[in-house]
Amino acid sequence: MKLWLPLIGFLALVAVAIWGLARPADRAVRSAMVGKPLPDFTLAPVVAGKPGLSSAAFRDGKPRLLNVFASWCVPCAAEAPQLGKLKALGARIEAAAIRDKPEDVRAFLTRYGDPFAAIGGDPESALQLTLGSSGVPETFVVDGKGRIVLQHIGDIRDEHIPVIIAALERAK
């Protein structure tokens, strides 16, 4: 019997490997922040003529988007047209500019458009880290009580717009 143990162990290992490779992978990233309130924060304005950002503003009864972006981020530039579409559909979008300079943010907005009602500077990525954001761009749907109802990781594409608009509608 001891003679067969290595073969049985090997076959069991192969069976586990095949089972693991055959089942479909769950590629969804689950956010620990969904369902929780935004953390308290206040970000100074990063662009002249546009207000900064604070968690208190998200508790005014109106759902909105919080977009985490940076002027140096290529996918952020790629998602700019979709943010414009969301704004045209009535979405209020506020932003946190991560590790950015005011002149670079101004140039980004001039080049790609400005869908943002407010932009706060997050020079040390403190808010980004508190939100559990893994990078830029990232967008959060926040209800009127300041609670996160959806986290979209990566750039927004045309196919994501209906999902985000639906989340904003449910957040009312």
Side-chain angles (χ1 to χ4, degrees):
M1 184 65 178
K2 288 184 181 181
L3 183 65
W4 294 100
L5 284 179
L7 180 61
I8 292 169
F10 175 73
L11 291 174
L13 187 62
V14 169
V16 169
I18 290 172
W19 176 75
L21 291 172
R23 69 179 182 163
D26 181 9
R27 302 219 182 266
V29 177
R30 310 260 188 276
S31 171
M33 293 300 292
V34 171
K36 295 182 180 175
L38 279 174
D40 286 331
F41 68 90
T42 301
L43 300 178
V46 74
V47 176
K50 208 170 266 282
L53 201 56
S54 75
S55 54
F58 287 84
R59 294 188 290 267
D60 68 353
K62 299 173 189 163
R64 65 192 75 197
L65 302 178
L66 171 57
N67 182 255
V68 178
F69 86 106
S71 66
W72 44 264
C73 163
V74 174
C76 297
E79 86 169 350
Q82 286 72 26
L83 291 175
K85 290 176 185 176
L86 285 164
K87 181 181 178 184
L89 290 170
R92 180 176 172 92
I93 308 169
E94 300 186 2
I98 306 301
R99 297 187 179 268
D100 233 323
K101 298 176 186 168
E103 60 272 14
D104 294 337
V105 173
R106 257 191 316 278
F108 180 90
L109 298 175
T110 299
R111 183 169 186 184
Y112 299 108
D114 182 3
F116 306 119
I119 305 174
D122 190 9
E124 302 298 322
S125 298
L127 174 62
Q128 181 185 22
L129 294 173
T130 304
L131 288 171
S133 169
S134 60
V136 289
E138 205 157 316
T139 304
F140 297 85
V141 176
V142 183
D143 71 11
K145 296 175 185 171
R147 190 184 56 193
I148 298 169
V149 297
L150 177 76
Q151 180 179 4
H152 178 83
I153 298 171
D155 59 317
I156 296 170
R157 299 187 182 136
D158 280 334
E159 62 266 22
H160 303 135
I161 291 175
V163 173
I164 293 170
I165 291 295
L168 280 168
E169 287 298 317
R170 285 190 310 273
K172 286 185 178 177

